[in-house]
């Protein structure tokens, strides 16, 4: 089933307010990546909330304090020139290096040009890979989000704790509540990651298909029965 994008935006607007064209472009990039990666809905809700917050509600790859000058950043950011860039605001030289390695770009890729993280080609995989692998703090999405559809208060608890993936507990409640908003919008849009094994419209390789315990059990029963019959005819006469 195709993602109902209109339903997604219709559900967001009452909570986030009017959306700009830049917002929509950003959301589209994230949704497309999530479907291609088969990102679970709760993980995606928190990824969207993080990107919305970290980019100052622009949903565009931006520089840290993008409304201020490079001179201000040089004078005020202790990790300059490795200040925040992208959708998740990667900071510190070592994180730029490790991110490049994770993305199989070569360790000097972002060191030679950190502004590459302002390009969609790199900002999107940095957002997902950084949160999936625990790049920034050592904690990853699956350390906090169990992927089980639970009451909002339990989902909110997980989302609040998940802030530790990026930046300790800074604004954890605000971002947690944003994740609930995005979760509701994804549900309204009937979000299902692409290439799911239960999607009849997708030809899934046999090795990727889940094994059916019923079918597996039936096959075993047939084999056992056949063995008994053979034994009867050989030894039972």
């Amino acid at each position: 089933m195709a993602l109902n994008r209109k339903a997604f935006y219709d559900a967001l607007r009452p909570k986030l307010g009017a959306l700009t064209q830049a917002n929509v472009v950003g959301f589209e990039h994230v949704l497309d990546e999530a479907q291609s990666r088969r990102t679970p809905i709760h993980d995606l809700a928190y990824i969207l909330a993080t990107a919305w917050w970290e980019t100052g509600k622009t949903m565009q790859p931006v520089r840290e304090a993008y409304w201020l000058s490079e001179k201000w950043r040089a004078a005020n950011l202790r990790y300059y020139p490795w200040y925040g860039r992208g959708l998740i605001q990667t900071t510190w030289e070592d994180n730029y290096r490790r991110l490049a390695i994770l993305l199989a770009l070569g360790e000097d890729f972002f060191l030679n040009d950190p502004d590459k993280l302002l390009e969609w080609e790199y900002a999107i995989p940095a957002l997902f890979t950084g949160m999936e692998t625990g790049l920034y703090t050592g904690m990853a999405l699956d350390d906090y989000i169990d992927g089980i559809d639970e009451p909002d208060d339990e989902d909110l608890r997980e989302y609040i704790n998940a802030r530790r993936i990026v930046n300790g507990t800074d604004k954890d409640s605000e971002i947690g509540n944003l994740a609930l908003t995005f979760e509701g919008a994804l549900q309204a849009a009937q979000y299902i990651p692409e290439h799911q094994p239960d999607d009849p419209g997708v030809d899934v390789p046999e090795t990727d298909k889940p094994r059916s315990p019923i079918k597996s059990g039936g096959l075993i029963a047939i084999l056992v029965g056949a063995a008994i019959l053979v034994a009867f005819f050989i030894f039972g006469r």
Side-chain angles (χ1 to χ4, degrees), residues 188-202:
Q190 298 180 294
Y191 170 78
I192 299 175
E194 288 181 352
H195 311 311
Q196 291 299 290
D198 60 352
D199 183 348
V202 176

Side-chain angles (χ1 to χ4, degrees), residues 138-157:
M139 308 305 293
L141 286 164
D142 61 9
D143 288 314
Y144 297 106
I145 298 176
D146 59 20
I148 301 171
D149 191 18
E150 298 167 304
D152 282 355
D153 58 348
E154 176 57 22
D155 283 344
L156 179 59
R157 183 192 67 78

Side-chain angles (χ1 to χ4, degrees), residues 46 50 53-54 64 78-79 88-89 91-92 131 136-139 160-172 175:
Y46 197 74
T50 297
W53 186 269
E54 293 285 304
E64 184 173 353
R78 59 197 175 105
Y79 35 72
I88 196 172
Q89 298 295 279
T91 56
W92 298 103
M131 298 182 76
Y136 300 106
T137 66
M139 308 305 293
I160 289 174
N161 288 335
R163 180 58 175 163
R164 291 174 172 84
I165 296 168
V166 180
N167 194 8
T169 59
D170 177 62
K171 305 297 182 182
D172 54 1
I175 300 169

Side-chain angles (χ1 to χ4, degrees), residues 66-177:
Y66 61 88
W67 58 91
L68 296 173
S69 68
E70 192 72 6
K71 182 178 179 181
W72 181 92
R73 284 185 282 272
N76 291 276
L77 300 178
R78 59 197 175 105
Y79 35 72
Y80 187 89
W82 315 111
Y83 55 75
R85 292 176 177 85
L87 294 166
I88 196 172
Q89 298 295 279
T90 299
T91 56
W92 298 103
E93 180 179 0
D94 192 49
N95 283 337
Y96 276 85
R97 178 183 291 107
R98 292 193 296 134
L99 177 60
I101 293 170
L102 282 172
L103 299 182
L105 297 170
E107 66 176 291
D108 293 333
F109 184 81
F110 292 124
L111 300 186
N112 293 332
D113 188 359
D115 284 348
K116 285 290 186 183
L117 275 179
L118 300 174
E119 300 175 14
W120 284 111
E121 180 180 357
Y122 307 107
I124 283 288
L127 172 67
F128 281 80
T129 301
M131 298 182 76
E132 290 169 352
T133 62
L135 168 69
Y136 300 106
T137 66
M139 308 305 293
L141 286 164
D142 61 9
D143 288 314
Y144 297 106
I145 298 176
D146 59 20
I148 301 171
D149 191 18
E150 298 167 304
D152 282 355
D153 58 348
E154 176 57 22
D155 283 344
L156 179 59
R157 183 192 67 78
E158 293 178 10
Y159 291 145
I160 289 174
N161 288 335
R163 180 58 175 163
R164 291 174 172 84
I165 296 168
V166 180
N167 194 8
T169 59
D170 177 62
K171 305 297 182 182
D172 54 1
S173 293
E174 290 94 329
I175 300 169
N177 278 288

